[in-house]
Amino acid sequence: MMQPSFLLATPPCAPIRGACKELLHSIGRSEKRSSLIGSSRRAVRREAPPPQAGSGSMAAMAAAEEAEVLNLFTGIGLTEAKARETLRNAALSAQLRQAVLQARAALGSDLDKATGALLYNAAARLRDPDRLAFVVGYIGRREIRTDQQLGAALQYLRSHPPEPLEPADFERACGVGVRVSPEQIEEAVEAVVSRHREDLLAERYHFNMGLLMAEARSRLQWAEGKSIKNEVDLQVLHLLGPKTEADLEKKPKAAKARLGPVEKQKAPVVENGEVGTETKSLLEQLRGEALKFHKPGENYKTEGYVVTPNTMALLKQHLAITGGQVRTRFPPEPNGILHIGHAKAINFNFGYAKANGGICFLRYDDTNPEKEEEKYFTAIREMVEWLGYQPYAVTHASDYFDQLYTWALELIRRGQAYVCHQKVEEIKGHNPPPSPWRDRPVEESLVLFEDMRKGKFGEGEATLRMKLVMEDGKMDPVAYRVKFTPHHRTGDKWCIYPTYDYTHCLCDSIEHITHSLCTKEFQARRSSYFWLCNALDVYCPVQWEYGRLNLLYTVVSKRKIIRLVETGAVRDWDDPRLFTLTALRRRGFPPEAINNFCARVGVTVAQATMEPHLLEACVRDVLNEQAPRAMAVLEPLKVTITNFPAPQAIDVLVPNFPADESRGFHKVPFQSIVYIEETDFKEEADRGYKRLALGQPVGLRHTGYVIAVQNVIKDAHGRVIELEVTCTKSDAAEKPKAFIHWVSEPRVCEVRLYERLFLHKNPEDPSEVPGGFLSDLNPDSLHVVDNALVDSSVSGAQPFDKFQFERLGYFSVDPDSTDSKLVFNRTVTLKEDPGKA
């Protein structure tokens, strides 16, 4: 089938820049495999052609051509740096060159800077050369003169993919022939200034003049912005007069509102995939960010989307299959544990689908068998469900290996892929040499690709490469490489595996994904995403990029976490000092808090790097409502009440949630021997010290009694080991300065107290930590209290149960707990440590 011109291979004269960074690792092969490889090479492999004579003159010609194009681009107003950057993108460079030459021919003269800017924007945003030529014709005739007109023109083309275009309708849509007179501009600005007259007189030049511009522009869609601005400046000056000294002073900044608790911010709580309807919820933020997203079936309205003659038919089939349903996917690689950054991706993909009544797939990108383990598959799904989301279906890239291979054969037949023998070292970096096998005959590539599949080539000896230039100028990314590692699902069936650049968009196409949501680093692959679907003439989804979520004082790289485990700095992937999702769960972070944190961060294009204490604030907000109260003592000091009012223990009722006693109580025994924190007693009270001291009684929480010290017992070293006290009913004693927690008939437990794992904000930054991240470990990141005491109300606690230990913080039961001894992890303190701010 004849392919559209824009799907054909890049012409030989286009600059070749960059190549895919696919890493091909060599491993040993059996003698049998070696003989097969050797025979295959002898039978069919074409050797690289020898260097051609006159290569110096060819290089000189190429340099001259590059200089000519560089002059052409700087001649339309591009800086030399921008012109050189454009040259590195072969596709854009070719488009812009053709557009400039066409516009020059139409005008019969050089182009001014404004026209040059319009041409650059059109060439960068329109991939179809025929439609680009159509728009450039209007620019060259000066019928499209402004950015507003060009934007309207591009929007019209996206909304009207079928051919032929109706010129009259197009011209109406983008204001061709409309002329806005100075009198019209004056009247419109006068109306806007009159509307805001009182505020202008009150705020003078501190008033937001951009508001006047925006309103005037809305009244005069096709007027030039410069003309409107000049008129606004003139009328404001006429109204207010020249600026005074007060006008020149900077407007005081409004105080930033502190991030309040979840209830006040009305951020969402996600449970079992259901999200509340409170204001400022994540899903509302997603709706706001996604206003620019296309509707299902309207993929062609997205900027940069490539429309082929078959696009509309494919979209019609897509809608028939999906029923117009929004479809997203979360596609992790099963070679490590998910971390806090993945939580944002999970919330975005599942949340956007949920917000629009759609579905979300959990698809494992299992194309690299060397690094994949079953435990990662299990842990990933477990974490998705722990965050409250249920996948519509769980799929694997390997489910589609047969179809992907069939499509690879078709890609070769269409002249869009070839087998290459360049080594990994040769194609690394941004400026590798062009492949001498790029123009290899189709029949030869088909034979060699089959030999790759049969194991006749060793790892790194042959790859299948696609003929395209990527967004960042890299050329011919790898589609398939040889790997002799058995796959966990397909076993030894395959010894060639597809790459991300080849697999991802085609799996999205198979599953009829409507919105392929990726982090920003995949923006450079958007062009290859569209190219490959169109080269194979299959349904093409739309890729959207958003900024990653990072935290300070941590590392999330799989390689670095493995180093931390290997060196003994942490116990495993779920060590509570890490920010993997399994580690956060083990530490006691509730999933709702993580989702709320993602909501507060929001969905932005820019990368977000946050302080850990912002996440901890979300944790406190949720645990304050979820964690029942209990009492524990970390550094016990024995206290004997010499006048205890009963012959045996008294049951004291303690509210599970003091702010809402309707949520129940638990019983705590109170007897003549209790234990308090060592730090809650001083022999002599300092100024401002309000707890127990000689001559300074305190109340015991929840008991209704006040105790006063009568005798201090010390060991041979002078250390206080016991207090003898008397007790008095609270209503009969003077009100004490403080009430302290205590335990009686307690259980011995282990408590693990955590601090930041790293000392510096950016442990991976060589300028901040020259010795590398392993040199930045905090020696006090873990403190274990072996013999802490906790009241008996927690005796039946199970792993991951959460409590607020009064006055100490929030704690979670660790899976290391046994029937004989509970282990608690401190999740967060009750209040943020001021030293962390």
Short mmCIF file of all heavy atoms in Angstrom, two decimals, residues 723-746:
data_model
loop_
_atom_site.label_atom_id
_atom_site.label_comp_id
_atom_site.label_asym_id
_atom_site.label_seq_id
_atom_site.Cartn_x
_atom_site.Cartn_y
_atom_site.Cartn_z
N LEU A 723 10.70 6.45 92.03
CA LEU A 723 10.10 7.54 92.80
C LEU A 723 9.02 6.95 93.68
O LEU A 723 8.26 6.08 93.25
CB LEU A 723 9.49 8.59 91.87
CG LEU A 723 10.40 9.29 90.86
CD1 LEU A 723 9.58 10.22 89.97
CD2 LEU A 723 11.51 10.06 91.56
N GLU A 724 8.96 7.44 94.90
CA GLU A 724 7.82 7.13 95.77
C GLU A 724 6.97 8.39 95.85
O GLU A 724 7.48 9.49 96.14
CB GLU A 724 8.29 6.70 97.16
CG GLU A 724 8.98 5.34 97.13
CD GLU A 724 9.46 4.89 98.51
OE1 GLU A 724 9.50 5.76 99.43
OE2 GLU A 724 9.80 3.71 98.67
N VAL A 725 5.68 8.23 95.55
CA VAL A 725 4.80 9.40 95.48
C VAL A 725 3.52 9.12 96.23
O VAL A 725 3.21 7.97 96.57
CB VAL A 725 4.46 9.74 94.00
CG1 VAL A 725 5.72 9.99 93.18
CG2 VAL A 725 3.60 8.65 93.36
N THR A 726 2.78 10.19 96.50
CA THR A 726 1.42 10.06 97.02
C THR A 726 0.47 10.61 95.97
O THR A 726 0.86 11.42 95.12
CB THR A 726 1.25 10.82 98.33
OG1 THR A 726 1.61 12.19 98.12
CG2 THR A 726 2.12 10.22 99.43
N CYS A 727 -0.76 10.14 96.04
CA CYS A 727 -1.74 10.62 95.06
C CYS A 727 -2.91 11.28 95.76
O CYS A 727 -3.25 10.94 96.91
CB CYS A 727 -2.22 9.48 94.17
SG CYS A 727 -3.19 8.21 95.01
N THR A 728 -3.53 12.23 95.06
CA THR A 728 -4.68 12.96 95.57
C THR A 728 -5.70 13.09 94.43
O THR A 728 -5.32 13.29 93.28
CB THR A 728 -4.28 14.37 96.04
OG1 THR A 728 -3.18 14.26 96.94
CG2 THR A 728 -5.43 15.07 96.71
N LYS A 729 -6.97 12.98 94.78
CA LYS A 729 -8.01 13.18 93.78
C LYS A 729 -7.87 14.56 93.15
O LYS A 729 -7.62 15.54 93.84
CB LYS A 729 -9.39 13.05 94.41
CG LYS A 729 -9.93 11.63 94.47
CD LYS A 729 -10.49 11.24 93.10
CE LYS A 729 -11.31 9.95 93.18
NZ LYS A 729 -11.82 9.59 91.85
N SER A 730 -8.05 14.64 91.84
CA SER A 730 -7.87 15.91 91.12
C SER A 730 -8.76 17.01 91.66
O SER A 730 -8.34 18.17 91.78
CB SER A 730 -8.16 15.72 89.62
OG SER A 730 -7.25 14.81 89.05
N ASP A 731 -10.01 16.64 92.03
CA ASP A 731 -10.94 17.68 92.48
C ASP A 731 -10.63 18.15 93.90
O ASP A 731 -11.18 19.16 94.36
CB ASP A 731 -12.39 17.19 92.39
CG ASP A 731 -12.61 15.86 93.10
OD1 ASP A 731 -11.70 15.39 93.81
OD2 ASP A 731 -13.69 15.27 92.93
N ALA A 732 -9.71 17.43 94.60
CA ALA A 732 -9.33 17.85 95.95
C ALA A 732 -7.95 18.48 95.99
O ALA A 732 -7.51 18.93 97.05
CB ALA A 732 -9.37 16.64 96.89
N ALA A 733 -7.26 18.49 94.82
CA ALA A 733 -5.89 19.03 94.78
C ALA A 733 -5.86 20.30 93.95
O ALA A 733 -6.76 20.58 93.15
CB ALA A 733 -4.94 17.99 94.18
N GLU A 734 -4.82 21.09 94.17
CA GLU A 734 -4.62 22.26 93.34
C GLU A 734 -4.33 21.81 91.91
O GLU A 734 -3.64 20.82 91.69
CB GLU A 734 -3.44 23.08 93.88
CG GLU A 734 -3.22 24.39 93.17
CD GLU A 734 -2.05 25.18 93.76
OE1 GLU A 734 -1.67 24.86 94.91
OE2 GLU A 734 -1.56 26.08 93.08
N LYS A 735 -4.87 22.53 90.96
CA LYS A 735 -4.70 22.13 89.56
C LYS A 735 -3.22 22.11 89.19
O LYS A 735 -2.51 23.10 89.37
CB LYS A 735 -5.45 23.09 88.63
CG LYS A 735 -5.40 22.65 87.17
CD LYS A 735 -6.20 23.59 86.27
CE LYS A 735 -6.11 23.12 84.82
NZ LYS A 735 -6.89 23.99 83.91
N PRO A 736 -2.71 20.97 88.68
CA PRO A 736 -1.28 20.88 88.36
C PRO A 736 -0.94 21.66 87.08
O PRO A 736 -1.81 21.99 86.28
CB PRO A 736 -1.07 19.38 88.17
CG PRO A 736 -2.40 18.88 87.70
CD PRO A 736 -3.43 19.71 88.42
N LYS A 737 0.35 21.92 86.91
CA LYS A 737 0.79 22.64 85.71
C LYS A 737 0.75 21.77 84.46
O LYS A 737 0.72 22.28 83.34
CB LYS A 737 2.23 23.14 85.92
CG LYS A 737 2.36 24.24 86.95
CD LYS A 737 3.80 24.72 87.03
CE LYS A 737 3.95 25.87 88.02
NZ LYS A 737 5.36 26.35 88.10
N ALA A 738 0.77 20.44 84.63
CA ALA A 738 0.79 19.55 83.47
C ALA A 738 0.20 18.19 83.82
O ALA A 738 0.08 17.83 85.00
CB ALA A 738 2.23 19.37 82.97
N PHE A 739 -0.20 17.46 82.77
CA PHE A 739 -0.65 16.07 82.90
C PHE A 739 0.27 15.22 82.02
O PHE A 739 0.55 15.57 80.88
CB PHE A 739 -2.10 15.92 82.43
CG PHE A 739 -3.10 16.53 83.37
CD1 PHE A 739 -3.38 17.89 83.32
CD2 PHE A 739 -3.76 15.74 84.30
CE1 PHE A 739 -4.29 18.46 84.20
CE2 PHE A 739 -4.67 16.31 85.19
CZ PHE A 739 -4.94 17.67 85.14
N ILE A 740 0.76 14.11 82.57
CA ILE A 740 1.70 13.28 81.84
C ILE A 740 1.10 11.90 81.61
O ILE A 740 0.18 11.46 82.31
CB ILE A 740 3.05 13.15 82.58
CG1 ILE A 740 2.85 12.50 83.96
CG2 ILE A 740 3.72 14.51 82.70
CD1 ILE A 740 4.16 12.20 84.71
N HIS A 741 1.64 11.20 80.60
CA HIS A 741 1.16 9.84 80.31
C HIS A 741 1.92 8.85 81.18
O HIS A 741 2.97 9.17 81.76
CB HIS A 741 1.30 9.52 78.82
CG HIS A 741 2.70 9.47 78.33
ND1 HIS A 741 3.44 10.60 78.03
CD2 HIS A 741 3.54 8.42 78.09
CE1 HIS A 741 4.64 10.25 77.62
NE2 HIS A 741 4.74 8.94 77.66
N TRP A 742 1.45 7.62 81.22
CA TRP A 742 1.99 6.60 82.11
C TRP A 742 1.55 5.23 81.60
O TRP A 742 0.66 5.13 80.75
CB TRP A 742 1.47 6.81 83.54
CG TRP A 742 -0.04 6.91 83.55
CD1 TRP A 742 -0.78 8.02 83.30
CD2 TRP A 742 -0.96 5.82 83.72
NE1 TRP A 742 -2.12 7.72 83.32
CE2 TRP A 742 -2.25 6.36 83.58
CE3 TRP A 742 -0.83 4.46 83.99
CZ2 TRP A 742 -3.41 5.59 83.69
CZ3 TRP A 742 -1.98 3.69 84.11
CH2 TRP A 742 -3.26 4.26 83.96
N VAL A 743 2.12 4.17 82.14
CA VAL A 743 1.62 2.82 81.88
C VAL A 743 1.67 2.05 83.19
O VAL A 743 2.47 2.35 84.07
CB VAL A 743 2.45 2.08 80.81
CG1 VAL A 743 2.25 2.71 79.43
CG2 VAL A 743 3.93 2.04 81.17
N SER A 744 0.81 1.04 83.26
CA SER A 744 0.77 0.17 84.43
C SER A 744 0.41 -1.24 83.94
O SER A 744 -0.41 -1.38 83.02
CB SER A 744 -0.28 0.68 85.43
OG SER A 744 -0.26 -0.09 86.61
N GLU A 745 1.03 -2.26 84.53
CA GLU A 745 0.90 -3.63 84.02
C GLU A 745 1.13 -3.64 82.50
O GLU A 745 0.31 -4.15 81.72
CB GLU A 745 -0.48 -4.21 84.35
CG GLU A 745 -0.76 -4.37 85.83
CD GLU A 745 -2.11 -5.03 86.09
OE1 GLU A 745 -2.71 -5.58 85.14
OE2 GLU A 745 -2.56 -4.99 87.24
N PRO A 746 2.26 -3.06 82.05
CA PRO A 746 2.46 -2.88 80.62
C PRO A 746 3.02 -4.12 79.93
O PRO A 746 3.45 -5.08 80.57
CB PRO A 746 3.50 -1.76 80.57
CG PRO A 746 4.33 -2.00 81.80
CD PRO A 746 3.38 -2.52 82.85
#
